[in-house]
Amino acid sequence: MRFSNKLRVLMALLVCAMFVAAAPAYAKAKMVRVYKGKPAKYVFLFIGDGMGLPQKGATEAFTGEQLLMNTFPAQGMTTTYAADRFITGSAASATSLASGQKTNIGMLGMAPNQKHVKSIAEMAKADGKKVGIVSSVSIDHATPAAFYAHVPTRGQYYDIDVALSESDFDFFGGGGLKDITNKKKNSKNYKGNALELIKKAGYKVVTDKEEFMALKPADGKVISWNAWLQDSKALPYAMDMRPQDITLPEFTSKAIEMLDNPEGFFLMVEGGKIDWACHANDATAFIKNTIAFDDSIKEAVEFAKKHPKETLIVVTGDHECGGLTLGFAGTKYGSYYDALKSQTISFQQFSDEVVKLWKEEHKGNASFEDFQPTITHFFGLEFEGDAKKNPLVVKDYQLAMLKEAYERTMKGEKKFKNPELYNLYGGYDPLTVTITHVLNNNAGLGWTSYKHTGVPVATSAMGVGSSSFNGYYDNVDIAYKIMAIMGMTPKVHASINNAEFAVK
């Protein structure tokens, strides 16, 4: 059937009009409470940043064990799109999860029209509960910030740090603070050093592990981060951690201890470096961080066993990252996840320390063959043997890729505007990302992106009202369901094609 151009335009306008007309009805439907029982006293929200179904599946295949989050009685699927883009960003997604508000990419704690919205954490605090925020990335990063800050641009770290000082939340733990002095000059409301404001607000600052482990509820409000922050004020990757480092499960356990009180609490825990490892296409690093994330969930489950009729635990992802596939053309139906166990450090530590030192010592005078033993030592890849029998053996075409990447790394090349080179390396060190690609591909894993994707993620729940989380729903619904189970009423705004409305 053929249509005239005018008819095509008319049909498109009708579709748009139907979407706009349906929008208010969709928002009003959010007023329907899905839970009418006794409110939960203790509520946990775990967010695996970048954790889609492939990340969970790969982790289970690697360990040979089912993730605890996958054993929860309620299992659902969740869409993640932002208000202005199909593939979401962490700020927009976190705002949806924190408040039930669809918003634009980069915005935190506000609607597209920049009207502030209340998060679950803020409402819990106003209701007399204690509140904790834990993350393996900086505590002012997009996901944690969505629970206490309201800014139009997620990069306003100084303003976010000031908002933290004014939140009156009881516990912050994990990564550090990115801009306490407004060095980026993107704040128009400078109030002084943000860390000093945090201290003046009554927070005890703790970075030593021994002091951290000794904390007690009587110490009052606490903000704590690990002494060694690996990249962008984040915790080290789980596989790079030393005994003196504070792990995500330890931060979670201490948060529970500090928050436990008769009035109840709300605790959000983010596994942020799952996402960062997937951006860099490092399978072993994201798997080890997913395991650490699941171990953090175990701490909540142990608490729930003591309060089974008063606790809700919800686990979700904010989006998938990397376009991970559990299968690779080069291995056909083959999966060899044990090969990943040969990798001993993350891409980050390898590029930051090993590659950097090699360049400084050799200044471009060493060959790729000289560097091969180093690759074998840290990643297990072998340059001799039968590639058909051993997935760790580098194939001829892969060897050519590694040699080319090595030359680019030795020349200091990193940012690639050429689309072909960007598809090969993203914004990462060419040699490091090529090594992880070779190892991951030989294990039977493929990557399609260095960014997020639009596939739905899994959500699971146990405890009070957990059956609400069965089924297929959007990420804003997670916030609405949690609010209903906590006895709260959502306060959001929405804007679709300039049609504004509020849900009370």
Side-chain angles (χ1 to χ4, degrees):
M1 186 178 294
R2 303 178 70 178
F3 300 100
S4 68
N5 289 335
K6 288 185 178 180
L7 185 56
R8 289 193 184 98
V9 172
L10 179 59
M11 291 170 67
L13 290 172
L14 285 171
V15 170
C16 291
M18 290 169 64
F19 178 74
V20 173
Y26 173 79
K28 289 177 182 177
K30 301 304 173 188
M31 292 191 295
V32 177
R33 298 179 67 84
V34 294
Y35 175 80
K36 296 181 180 180
K38 184 179 179 180
K41 182 184 289 186
Y42 309 105
V43 176
F44 296 84
L45 175 58
F46 288 88
I47 302 173
D49 201 314
M51 186 183 72
L53 284 169
Q55 282 75 13
K56 295 169 76 172
T59 302
E60 290 189 336
F62 178 89
T63 63
E65 299 178 359
Q66 190 173 20
L67 289 165
L68 179 61
M69 66 184 97
N70 287 346
T71 68
F72 284 8
Q75 298 286 336
M77 292 293 293
T78 306
T79 51
T80 65
Y81 60 90
D84 61 342
R85 196 173 74 191
F86 175 61
I87 298 178
T88 195
S90 290
S93 184
T95 297
S96 292
L97 294 170
S99 65
Q101 176 66 58
K102 278 293 180 187
T103 196
N104 294 341
I105 294 299
M107 288 186 167
L108 284 169
M110 56 175 55
N113 57 17
Q114 298 196 16
K115 290 183 179 179
H116 292 192
V117 290
K118 291 289 186 182
S119 73
I120 301 168
E122 290 171 315
M123 288 189 279
K125 187 64 182 176
D127 198 36
K129 289 179 168 55
K130 287 191 175 183
V131 174
I133 304 293
V134 171
S135 177
S136 58
V137 297
S138 68
I139 205 66
D140 52 10
H141 216 255
T143 301
F147 289 83
Y148 62 85
H150 307 271
V151 292
T153 305
R154 59 177 288 183
Q156 294 175 234
Y157 292 111
Y158 173 77
D159 291 324
I160 294 171
D161 294 342
V162 171
L164 186 154
S165 75
E166 298 171 347
S167 70
D168 198 34
F169 289 1
D170 302 272
F171 185 90
F172 289 94
L177 302 167
K178 289 176 68 72
D179 190 9
I180 60 174
T181 61
N182 193 31
K183 61 185 177 183
K184 288 192 174 182
K185 307 298 182 186
N186 58 9
S187 173
K188 297 179 181 179
N189 189 27
Y190 184 71
K191 297 182 178 181
N193 184 291
L195 183 56
E196 293 304 315
L197 294 175
I198 290 169
K199 292 177 180 177
K200 288 179 181 178
Y203 286 91
K204 183 174 183 178
V205 180
V206 179
T207 59
D208 176 75
K209 184 170 185 177
E210 186 175 345
E211 184 181 0
F212 172 82
M213 299 304 288
L215 284 170
K216 299 297 179 185
D219 289 312
K221 296 187 297 185
V222 169
I223 179 169
S224 177
W225 56 82
N226 193 52
W228 172 37
L229 299 176
Q230 189 177 41
D231 55 328
S232 298
K233 301 296 182 180
L235 290 182
Y237 283 94
M239 65 189 301
D240 297 334
M241 280 192 156
R242 312 158 303 176
Q244 63 267 40
D245 292 316
I246 308 171
T247 67
L248 189 65
E250 288 170 337
F251 273 114
T252 304
S253 176
K254 182 58 66 174
I256 294 171
E257 179 186 350
M258 298 293 285
L259 297 175
D260 191 9
N261 77 103
E263 299 303 317
F265 62 76
F266 171 80
L267 174 61
M268 190 288 294
V269 178
E270 181 201 20
K273 298 199 78 170
I274 300 170
D275 176 69
W276 291 18
C278 290
H279 275 292
N281 294 178
D282 185 341
T284 308
F286 91 67
I287 287 172
K288 294 292 181 69
N289 273 76
T290 303
I291 294 170
F293 180 67
D294 203 53
D295 287 342
S296 301
I297 297 168
K298 290 178 183 177
E299 299 293 337
V301 171
E302 288 304 311
F303 177 86
K305 289 178 181 178
K306 301 173 186 176
H307 308 273
K309 296 182 179 180
E310 299 177 297
T311 305
L312 169 66
I313 303 173
V314 180
V315 184
T316 192
D318 59 348
H319 51 71
E320 194 277 337
C321 183
L324 177 67
T325 63
L326 306 187
F328 177 66
T331 61
K332 298 180 180 178
Y333 290 106
S335 299
Y336 311 99
Y337 289 14
D338 280 350
L340 300 174
K341 297 176 181 178
S342 299
Q343 181 179 340
T344 57
I345 62 175
S346 73
F347 79 94
Q348 191 74 53
Q349 190 168 14
F350 185 74
S351 59
D352 286 355
E353 299 180 17
V354 179
V355 173
K356 180 181 178 182
L357 181 62
W358 180 268
K359 291 172 68 175
E360 290 174 351
E361 290 183 346
H362 296 279
K363 301 185 185 304
N365 296 320
S367 68
F368 175 75
E369 286 71 23
D370 294 328
F371 193 72
Q372 285 180 184
T374 302
I375 297 175
T376 301
H377 177 76
F378 289 108
F379 293 89
L381 292 174
E382 301 174 12
F383 295 88
E384 293 181 359
D386 189 345
K388 293 182 179 180
K389 296 181 179 179
N390 183 358
L392 287 171
V393 174
V394 174
K395 301 174 178 65
D396 290 342
Y397 79 91
Q398 294 173 331
L399 180 61
M401 290 165 52
L402 287 166
K403 286 183 175 180
E404 181 180 352
Y406 176 82
E407 294 301 324
R408 294 188 184 281
T409 290
M410 291 302 107
K411 293 176 183 177
E413 297 181 27
K414 190 172 182 180
K415 300 292 183 181
F416 299 100
K417 294 183 179 180
N418 180 297
E420 182 179 358
L421 294 178
Y422 174 81
N423 287 342
L424 286 173
Y425 311 122
Y428 297 92
D429 169 60
L431 177 60
T432 305
V433 75
T434 303
I435 292 171
T436 59
H437 279 165
V438 170
L439 178 61
N440 295 177
N441 290 167
N442 287 2
L445 294 169
W447 298 96
T448 64
S449 178
Y450 297 102
K451 303 295 183 182
H452 305 164
T453 66
V455 299
V457 298
T459 299
S460 55
M462 64 168 284
V464 180
S466 59
S467 61
S468 302
F469 294 89
N470 285 315
Y472 188 85
Y473 43 85
D474 188 59
N475 57 8
V476 297
D477 294 305
I478 291 177
Y480 288 115
K481 293 172 191 291
I482 293 175
M483 289 176 189
I485 294 169
M486 293 182 74
M488 299 171 175
T489 301
K491 299 176 181 178
V492 301
H493 301 269
S495 177
I496 299 178
N497 292 344
N498 297 318
E500 296 183 3
F501 49 90
V503 179
K504 298 180 180 178

